[in-house]
Amino acid sequence: MTAAIKGSVGAPNARILSVGAYRPERVVPNAEIVDRINSSDEWIRERSGIIERRWAAADETVVDLAVNAAAIALERSGIAPDQIGMVMVGTVTHPYQTPSAAAEIADRLGAVNAAAVDLSAACAGFCYGLALANDMIKGGSARYVVVIGVEKLTDWVNPDDRGTSFIFADGAGAVVVGPSEEPGIGPVVWGADGSQKNAITMTQSLIDYRDNGGPIFPTLEMQGQQVFRWAVGEMSKAAQRALDAADVSSDDLDAFIPHQANMRITDAMVRALKLPAHVPVARDIAYTGNTSAASVPLAMDHMLETGEAPHGGTALLIGFGAGLVYAAQVVTLP
Ligand code: UT7
């Protein structure tokens, strides 16, 4: 006879309890990078909306950035580190194949009872993590989850590449997700299109670099226009599907927080969604650049800190990037 297995029992729902952010100290204005890529402050502002970005110090690691952001989120949540059941880290810039950044981050946070895992979902990493955290808490495999988006993209970008060097930057954002009576995280709308894997990729693999060398260490390369077209065409549809799945009208939103890929992509999505003018839109990219997995929690923290979006308000999130992958959901802000 097959033994009866006792199933896990989770909370009725989950929500974001708190958010924390870490922006590296060094501010890098466009003027500092334009000569190297034969560009101009004007071009970068007009084509991307970026005015300046933050770069981490040489000795500041992905783990350092993440710990700084997550410590703030933990403090704000009032949840003790030893109550955390899972630390999930969206990142594509941790420079070790193994062990994970998450295991080290959990240790540094004092999350001694937590499982830990890195998620490779590029600029959608944070929204993927949020969806998984929601299901873990409802499924009973963790009661409190720390979800982090962190990148030190300056380690993986070629400063001479005109297509990427002005856009990508460094930073970390984190949330603590915990149980709640009411749904605080709506159904996720997500997907992947690996047929477009070359749209954002590395110039070569680390193994190819080891075996064949090459002019430069592997760095990010992006077919900017291809990604731009996909984002504008497909991501507003995904965002609308997330609203529909949560049964929330765009009129009822208190914030729209898309991945900070490019200000023009954000503008196009706002138009395609016919977002009412009263809904505040995250435009953190102007001063933070594109921080991939970190961009959504960084922008969320900024909107709450400046009062642009209300605590407890309803926000539409969407992350999208290399893969190509995406994830969107409606959440209650912490
Ligand atoms: O976060 C992950 C997802 N990533 C994204 O969503 C990024 C999506 N893509 C983009 O944001 C945009 O494609 C970029 C901002 C990266 C580039 O903007 P673009 O409007 O697509 O530029 P383009 O590549 O079409 O180039 C337009 C012109 C070209 O000149 P011509 O051929 O029109 O004379 C380029 O040579 O701009 C020139 N150009 C530059 N000029 C000054 C390209 N890069 C630069 C530069 N500075 N850095």
Side-chain angles (χ1 to χ4, degrees), residues 12-75:
N13 287 294
R15 70 182 184 93
I16 302 173
L17 303 176
S18 62
V19 59
Y22 177 72
R23 293 162 201 273
E25 212 175 295
R26 184 169 165 210
V27 176
V28 179
N30 291 337
E32 204 175 314
I33 56 172
V34 290
D35 288 349
R36 202 157 170 178
I37 52 172
N38 185 24
S39 187
S40 65
D41 178 40
E42 198 186 7
W43 190 93
I44 295 173
R45 284 184 195 227
E46 199 184 293
R47 306 302 278 193
S48 72
I50 298 171
I51 296 168
E52 61 190 32
R53 75 283 290 142
R54 302 293 184 107
W55 284 2
D59 62 353
E60 220 171 9
T61 67
V62 160
V63 170
D64 294 332
L65 303 178
V67 167
N68 288 339
I72 296 169
L74 267 174
E75 171 81 31

